[in-house]
Amino acid sequence: QGQLVESGGGSAQAGGSLRLSCAASGFTNSRLSMGWFRQAPGKEREGVAAAYTGTDSTIYTDSVKGRFTISQDNAKNTVYLQMNSLKPEDTAMYYCAADTKTPFPHLTKNRYNYWAQGTQVTVSS
């Protein structure tokens, strides 16, 4: 049974940086579509970035392009989200997710079948 454990997050000033980590374990797939999502109070959960592990294939939502970077350490089965030039509107609960069935990165949340517990990111102006 697959499991995802997140770490990182916290608080930052606008213009600052934070890094999130997501460690995957128990998956039988050699590759996964791994996504980062976020949900602000009163808003729907939205996709931020995704990667197909073991490849260079990544995708980002427009609002974070050039500021956020998704990366992976396959030896550690860990995916990272480096968040730079943070803005107050980046404030949200951030979730890591895994899709064991889709062979490419995507931001369609309903297709992800494993989710981490979430970590809060708060950006102050």
Side-chain angles (χ1 to χ4, degrees):
Q1 182 75 5
Q3 185 178 13
L4 301 172
V5 178
E6 282 187 58
S7 60
S11 299
Q13 297 275 349
S17 299
L18 288 170
R19 189 177 83 156
L20 307 181
S21 301
C22 177
S25 62
F27 291 94
T28 57
N29 303 59
S30 58
R31 292 179 177 174
L32 295 167
S33 180
M34 296 289 295
W36 287 99
F37 292 78
R38 65 186 180 187
Q39 187 167 18
K43 294 189 176 182
E44 288 201 11
R45 190 171 298 189
E46 64 167 348
V48 175
Y52 191 54
T53 62
T55 74
D56 294 329
S57 187
T58 59
I59 187 172
Y60 298 88
T61 193
D62 286 346
S63 63
V64 307
K65 285 180 181 177
R67 300 189 298 121
F68 290 11
T69 302
I70 187 170
S71 63
Q72 54 188 287
D73 184 336
N74 293 320
K76 296 181 179 179
N77 293 322
T78 299
V79 174
Y80 305 95
L81 185 68
Q82 179 67 42
M83 304 182 292
N84 298 330
S85 301
L86 283 164
K87 303 176 181 180
E89 51 263 43
D90 294 320
T91 296
M93 186 73 78
Y94 282 70
Y95 298 90
C96 169
D99 175 355
T100 59
K101 300 180 180 180
T102 307
F104 52 84
H106 65 89
L107 298 178
T108 305
K109 61 181 181 291
N110 293 338
R111 295 170 71 174
Y112 282 86
N113 47 349
Y114 291 87
W115 291 84
Q117 76 280 11
T119 187
Q120 179 67 38
V121 170
T122 302
V123 183
S124 57
S125 57

